[in-house]
Amino acid sequence: MSLFKRVKNIFKSPEPLKTERSVLTLGPGDVCEVSLVTYQVIGRTKPLSRNAVWLTLRDGADIRYLSVEEREKTTYGLYSVIDGRLDSVDEVPTEVELDGVHYFLEERYSTRITESGNAPFTAAGGELYVWQYQSDGRKLLRIEWQDGRFMLYEGESVLPADVEWLRGSG
């Protein structure tokens, strides 16, 4: 190597470090494995006021949702849509009994969201209101409301060791 190339390499700025990839940065086109089932991520909803993400997953014709929230530790929940309806946002209860399982309100919040891909709600609708319930077991219930439309989900908490992710080509 010539002296000129050595001097040039000394003054060359270093390449920026690549950001660490995590499950919170997954988006459409990525692949996620939850409890030994491989899903394609087809949608992503990110609440702006929380360190969390709501991923829409597809395995063939089956659509599921993975909730990921990072606080003191990272928590995961795998959900499916359930049929049901509520008449008003003012009538969301603090306790719900569904198929013999008693759920208690754990948390409720509202936030603005950003979304990409196939997501249940769009960011154009304004505030998203969320009620999260938990049973005595590992069962979870989630109610979302935006612009007069309710979505209800039933699921269960997932151990962090049961969630793995791969990045897509995009």
Side-chain angles (χ1 to χ4, degrees):
M1 187 185 294
S2 72
L3 180 63
F4 178 71
K5 285 186 180 180
R6 287 183 184 179
V7 172
K8 181 180 170 185
N9 286 338
I10 290 173
F11 292 110
K12 187 170 108 176
S13 63
E15 292 183 22
L17 295 174
K18 293 182 179 178
T19 58
E20 185 176 327
R21 296 182 174 184
S22 74
V23 73
L24 290 173
T25 61
L26 287 177
D30 294 329
V31 175
C32 182
E33 184 177 286
V34 182
S35 300
L36 302 177
V37 178
T38 303
Y39 297 97
Q40 178 185 8
V41 178
I42 60 169
R44 169 190 161 104
T45 303
K46 170 81 174 99
L48 298 178
S49 63
R50 302 173 71 87
N51 196 17
V53 69
W54 180 256
L55 300 173
T56 306
L57 308 176
R58 179 174 49 209
D59 173 34
D62 189 26
I63 301 287
R64 305 288 298 269
Y65 299 90
L66 181 66
S67 168
V68 182
E69 185 162 15
E70 198 170 87
R71 291 186 180 177
E72 303 87 37
K73 60 181 184 170
T74 305
T75 59
Y76 301 92
L78 187 62
Y79 294 84
S80 296
V81 172
I82 58 173
D83 288 333
R85 85 179 183 109
L86 296 167
D87 293 326
S88 166
V89 72
D90 298 325
E91 295 177 6
V92 177
T94 58
E95 295 181 21
V96 176
E97 186 171 341
L98 182 65
D99 295 333
V101 178
H102 205 79
Y103 296 95
F104 300 94
L105 183 64
E106 178 185 18
E107 176 180 32
R108 74 172 190 191
Y109 62 90
S110 65
T111 181
R112 297 196 68 76
I113 58 171
T114 60
E115 57 87 23
S116 59
N118 297 337
F121 292 105
T122 61
E127 290 281 316
L128 175 69
Y129 294 84
V130 177
W131 293 263
Q132 293 184 156
Y133 297 82
Q134 184 173 331
S135 73
D136 291 336
R138 293 174 39 166
K139 296 283 188 182
L140 303 171
L141 181 70
R142 180 177 171 115
I143 299 173
E144 295 178 342
W145 180 86
Q146 187 178 42
D147 277 347
R149 182 173 157 223
F150 280 99
M151 292 289 293
L152 285 78
Y153 309 91
E154 186 177 35
E156 61 183 28
S157 56
V158 177
L159 297 173
D162 287 345
V163 179
E164 297 203 23
W165 60 92
L166 304 168
R167 301 302 280 188
S169 60

